[in-house]
Amino acid sequence: MFFVALCLDKPGHVDLRMSTRAAHLAFLDKHAARVKLGGPFLDGETPVGSMLILDCENESAARALLSEDPYAAAGLFASVELKPWKRVVGAQL
């Protein structure tokens, strides 16, 4: 089952994002089978959040995976919204 995670950064925390980015990217690489697509939200050139499409057994598994993200562990996010999602058009995930 797919889930979309909408993660918004705490205002003024771009330094925290950048200092944990390498660990975050390693986490995404390690979980590439379940993290199907992702990238930052931008305000101009500045990242201000993240969007991830996850393939997990259920919402609990998706939330558990998100909790392991170094961005989440560092306290970067002001909010995380998780929504079940169904692909209808576009690239196969």
Side-chain angles (χ1 to χ4, degrees), residues 10 16 21-22 24 34-35 37 40 42 47 51 60-61 63 68-70 78 80-81 91:
K10 292 176 182 171
L16 178 59
R21 186 170 187 265
H24 168 73
R34 294 194 292 167
V35 180
L37 186 67
L42 300 173
M51 187 281 302
S60 294
R63 288 196 185 280
E68 296 173 17
D69 185 332
V80 176
E81 191 173 354

Side-chain angles (χ1 to χ4, degrees), residues 63-87:
R63 288 196 185 280
L65 179 64
L66 287 173
S67 73
E68 296 173 17
D69 185 332
Y71 282 169
L76 176 62
F77 299 133
S79 66
V80 176
E81 191 173 354
L82 190 64
K83 299 276 189 180
W85 180 74
K86 179 180 176 182
R87 188 196 73 79

Side-chain angles (χ1 to χ4, degrees), residues 19-92:
S19 69
T20 54
R21 186 170 187 265
H24 168 73
L25 293 176
F27 167 82
L28 296 178
D29 187 53
K30 177 181 175 183
H31 296 285
R34 294 194 292 167
V35 180
K36 298 300 183 181
L37 186 67
F41 293 118
L42 300 173
D43 181 5
E45 300 274 328
T46 304
V48 294
S50 300
M51 187 281 302
L52 299 169
I53 297 180
L54 308 174
D55 185 2
C56 294
E57 308 80 54
N58 53 47
E59 184 175 342
S60 294
R63 288 196 185 280
L65 179 64
L66 287 173
S67 73
E68 296 173 17
D69 185 332
Y71 282 169
L76 176 62
F77 299 133
S79 66
V80 176
E81 191 173 354
L82 190 64
K83 299 276 189 180
W85 180 74
K86 179 180 176 182
R87 188 196 73 79
V88 175
V89 297
Q92 190 70 19

